[in-house]
Amino acid sequence: MKYIYIAVMILFLFVSCKSAEKTVYNVNLNEGWVNENKFIATSIGYPNGYASTEEDIKTSAFNAALSLSKVKIENAFTKELPNKRSENNELKYIVEKYIKIEYSNFVDDRYYQIKTTVEYNNLLGLLRGGNIKKMLN
């Protein structure tokens, strides 16, 4: 009986050590304005139903997460503009031009998690002043 308890303890120790082998990345996924120059957006993207291969699933999920981040950034920037409707195309171009991916991870073969930033000198001031044409150059 004593040997059964020892065997169960060794088995339990082995299983608990195996589950602790996964690497956990501690990434700060807060989003919003960091300062006047930098905006952060985080998104999760799931693959579409037509993706069949592993590579298609990854690509589809990544594109979904990136698209969601772009929309979040555009919406946040639109809130800061004094005239919200007139500069919509310029705003999309600016987001496309200055967006950077700081972190991306394909989690458990199910979804992509990304952290994107847009950084430009005096970004918030330019948006609030309606001077985003300066950023197009």
Side-chain angles (χ1 to χ4, degrees):
M1 191 67 157
K2 206 174 6 171
Y3 297 112
I4 293 175
Y5 288 125
I6 293 173
V8 169
M9 292 295 283
I10 291 173
L11 182 64
F12 177 75
L13 182 63
F14 178 73
V15 170
S16 64
C17 289
K18 273 294 194 190
S19 65
E21 284 181 13
K22 288 187 176 181
T23 305
V24 177
Y25 297 101
N26 189 9
V27 177
N28 186 1
L29 295 175
N30 292 335
E31 61 182 8
W33 289 100
V34 175
N35 54 34
E36 284 191 10
N37 304 327
K38 188 174 184 178
F39 185 84
I40 296 175
T42 58
S43 299
I44 293 175
Y46 294 94
N48 63 24
Y50 301 109
S52 57
T53 66
E54 181 72 24
E55 193 61 33
D56 287 344
I57 290 170
K58 281 185 176 183
T59 303
S60 174
F62 179 80
N63 288 338
L66 185 59
S67 296
L68 181 58
S69 283
K70 288 178 183 177
V71 169
K72 284 182 173 182
I73 292 168
E74 289 171 10
N75 288 339
F77 287 4
T78 302
K79 290 178 184 177
E80 300 299 331
L81 289 171
N83 189 1
K84 298 186 184 334
R85 301 246 186 241
S86 67
E87 297 160 334
N88 218 5
N89 289 332
E90 291 93 353
L91 197 58
K92 287 182 181 191
Y93 177 75
I94 288 168
V95 171
E96 285 287 332
K97 184 176 179 181
Y98 293 107
I99 194 166
K100 291 186 178 117
I101 299 170
E102 283 194 0
Y103 168 78
S104 67
N105 187 21
F106 192 55
V107 180
D108 294 336
D109 296 332
R110 292 183 300 155
Y111 61 89
Y112 240 105
Q113 182 177 33
I114 67 170
K115 178 180 179 180
T116 56
T117 62
V118 173
E119 194 167 0
Y120 191 82
N121 191 22
N122 195 22
L123 175 62
L124 188 57
L126 290 172
L127 289 171
R128 288 182 176 167
N131 300 324
I132 64 170
K133 303 232 188 261
K134 291 180 181 179
M135 297 172 66
L136 296 174
N137 298 334

